[in-house]
Amino acid sequence: MTDANLDLVGTEIRSPIDGIPSEPAVSIGAIVTANQADALATVTRLDPIYGGITKSIARMLRLHERISSGELTRGQSLDASMTLENGTLYDGMDTFVSPSTSVSTATGTLDLRFQFDNPDRLILPAQFLRVAVTLGTTQAIEVPQRATLTAC
C-alpha cells in the first residue's frame, strides 16, 4: 500500500455500535483530531431499546410489605407490558435489565431499566409510553359490577 492509500484509510471513521447517527456536529472539511473531547456525531441504537421506569420508593416499600406478609406472591420475573401513545399494546419482548441502587433525593423515586425488542423502530428515545410491570400475584374474587354499590 502506498503512503497516500494509508493516509486515505486513516480518514475513515466508523462507529463502534450499529445505529442511527445524529446530524454531524462538524462540517465536511473541518479539522478534527484523535481523542478530541467533542463528539463528531451521536449514534443511537434503536433495536433493542432501553427504557427507564421510575417508581416511588414509598410504593416499593408497600409492595415489599405485601410480599413479606404473604398478601402478594412474588413472580418468577418482572414482566413489563407497554402501551404506545395511540393506545396500542406493544407486542415486543421485554427483559428486566437492572434496578437502580439509589433513591433520588429530589423525587423519592427508584429507577428500573428494561430492554425492549424494537425491530420496527416504533419506540424512539424520549418517547412517552405507559408501562405496566407485573411483580406478582394475589388472591382475589371477581364480582360482577352490578353486584356492587357506591358508598355515599
Side-chain angles (χ1 to χ4, degrees):
M1 223 180 220
T2 66
D3 287 342
N5 285 343
L6 284 175
D7 289 341
L8 185 60
V9 169
T11 63
E12 191 173 296
I13 300 170
R14 294 180 182 263
S15 171
I17 64 169
D18 290 333
I20 298 175
S22 66
E23 289 291 321
V26 296
S27 59
I28 295 174
I31 296 176
V32 295
T33 60
N35 302 319
Q36 72 180 32
D38 298 331
L40 302 179
T42 301
V43 177
T44 303
R45 174 184 263 172
L46 296 178
D47 184 31
I49 194 163
Y50 294 91
I53 301 167
T54 304
K55 291 307 270 180
S56 159
I57 194 63
R59 169 103 189 216
M60 297 297 285
L61 290 171
R62 285 193 302 271
L63 286 170
H64 183 59
E65 287 174 359
R66 290 180 66 195
I67 290 170
S68 296
S69 71
E71 182 184 343
L72 181 68
T73 304
R74 185 186 308 231
Q76 295 294 326
S77 63
L78 290 180
D79 296 320
S81 61
M82 185 173 9
T83 304
L84 302 174
E85 286 179 293
N86 64 0
T88 305
L89 188 63
Y90 185 73
D91 62 355
M93 294 294 295
D94 70 278
T95 304
F96 177 64
V97 178
S98 66
S100 177
T101 57
S102 63
V103 177
S104 168
T105 57
T107 61
T109 57
L110 185 70
D111 292 328
L112 305 172
R113 186 175 169 112
F114 283 85
Q115 174 184 315
F116 289 91
D117 292 339
N118 192 26
D120 297 329
R121 297 181 176 162
L122 291 176
I123 307 168
L124 299 173
Q127 182 177 351
F128 179 79
L129 304 163
R130 294 188 189 280
V131 178
V133 178
T134 303
L135 301 173
T137 58
T138 188
Q139 291 282 332
I141 299 172
E142 187 174 357
V143 178
Q145 184 176 4
R146 291 186 296 166
T148 62
L149 294 174
T150 303
C152 295

